[in-house]
Amino acid sequence: VPAAAVSAQKMEEMAAGAATKRQQETAATAVAETTMKQEEEAAAAAAAVEAKRKEQEQAAAAAAAETTRKNAEAIAAAEATVAAAATREEKERVAAVAKRGKKERAAAAKKAAAEVAAAAAAAVADVKKKEEMVKAAVAERKKQAAAAVAAAVKRKKRGGAAASQEDKAAAAAAAAAEAKTKEDGEKLLKAAQDGNLHSVRTLLKDCDPSLLRFVDEEGRSCLWLAALYGRDEVAKMLVEAGGKDLL
């Protein structure tokens, strides 16, 4: 094939490609213009709807305001008519009743405020008391644990199998003591809650006085439970036994 013919063919293909590209660009431009026009029309329609809605809301608000004004005028006119028709003695009686009612309401409000303040103060005091009891119990347990650790370290320094046996014995004794304290503490809590004077007396006699500080999972001591459930005699016994420090 002659080179001139090939060159002419390529020129035709390039021209056809350029024409096709121009057509595609023209089509894309037309689509973009159409889309933009549709978006502008949609935005205009939305703006028109919003303007109409605002206009309706303003009209409704104006109508409501006018109705309120007319109602206020009617009420004022009615009150003026009633006031004009009332006698002087009736006015004085109404004023006295209103004054008395105002004083009563003020007194009731003051009393209610005082009761609320007292209840809030009592609640705060109760929370603080429970926090202190929990802190004391935790501190006591930490103290016992620290003592046990110190004793174990001291025995370990002595070395040998004897120290190991002593550690085991001390650990077993500490575990047994803790289990016993927990068991007795739970018994004392239940006895205080149930108002069982005999059980409380027996536990206080046979156990460590520090048991009075034993608390349940909610931080409540035996004295707290006795007071909560109205066990006055048990509470008195606990206070006499040393529980007054928990007040």
Side-chain angles (χ1 to χ4, degrees):
V1 180
V6 172
S7 178
Q9 184 179 357
K10 286 185 178 182
M11 291 294 291
E12 290 176 357
E13 290 175 354
M14 290 175 63
T20 301
K21 185 175 181 180
R22 284 194 300 272
Q23 291 175 354
Q24 291 175 346
E25 290 175 349
T26 301
T29 302
V31 169
E33 290 177 351
T34 301
T35 301
M36 183 181 296
K37 184 176 180 181
Q38 290 175 347
E39 289 177 350
E40 291 175 351
E41 291 175 352
V49 171
E50 180 64 16
K52 184 65 176 178
R53 183 185 65 80
K54 288 184 178 180
E55 181 181 355
Q56 292 175 347
E57 287 179 351
Q58 291 174 353
E66 181 64 17
T67 301
T68 301
R69 185 186 64 78
K70 290 182 177 179
N71 289 338
E73 290 177 353
I75 292 172
E79 289 176 348
T81 301
V82 171
T87 62
R88 181 178 180 181
E89 291 77 11
E90 182 64 14
K91 289 181 180 179
E92 293 175 349
R93 187 188 68 79
V94 170
V97 171
K99 185 176 181 180
R100 185 170 61 252
K102 184 177 181 180
K103 288 183 178 180
E104 291 175 352
R105 289 193 297 273
K110 186 176 181 181
K111 182 179 178 181
E115 291 175 351
V116 171
V124 170
D126 185 59
V127 170
K128 289 183 177 179
K129 187 187 298 182
K130 289 172 67 177
E131 289 178 351
E132 291 299 326
M133 288 189 296
V134 172
K135 289 179 181 179
V138 171
E140 182 65 23
R141 291 180 183 177
K142 286 183 177 180
K143 183 179 178 181
Q144 294 175 356
V149 171
V153 170
K154 186 176 180 180
R155 286 192 298 272
K156 188 174 182 180
K157 288 181 179 180
R158 296 174 185 172
S164 178
Q165 292 296 328
E166 289 179 1
D167 291 343
K168 292 181 179 179
E178 184 176 356
K180 177 64 175 173
T181 299
K182 182 178 180 182
E183 180 182 357
D184 292 340
E186 291 176 348
K187 287 181 180 179
L188 182 58
L189 290 176
K190 180 143 190 342
Q193 179 176 330
D194 296 341
N196 192 330
L197 283 170
H198 176 72
S199 296
V200 172
R201 186 180 295 107
T202 301
L203 288 167
L204 292 177
K205 180 180 178 182
D206 298 339
C207 300
D208 191 326
S210 64
L211 196 66
L212 288 168
R213 293 188 177 279
F214 188 84
V215 295
D216 61 10
E217 294 178 353
E218 298 180 12
R220 302 179 300 181
S221 67
C222 53
L223 180 57
W224 197 95
L225 289 172
L228 177 64
Y229 288 92
R231 313 303 186 187
D232 297 338
E233 294 183 5
V234 172
K236 182 179 179 181
M237 180 183 297
L238 293 171
V239 170
E240 292 175 349
K244 61 183 179 180
D245 294 336
L246 301 177
L247 292 175

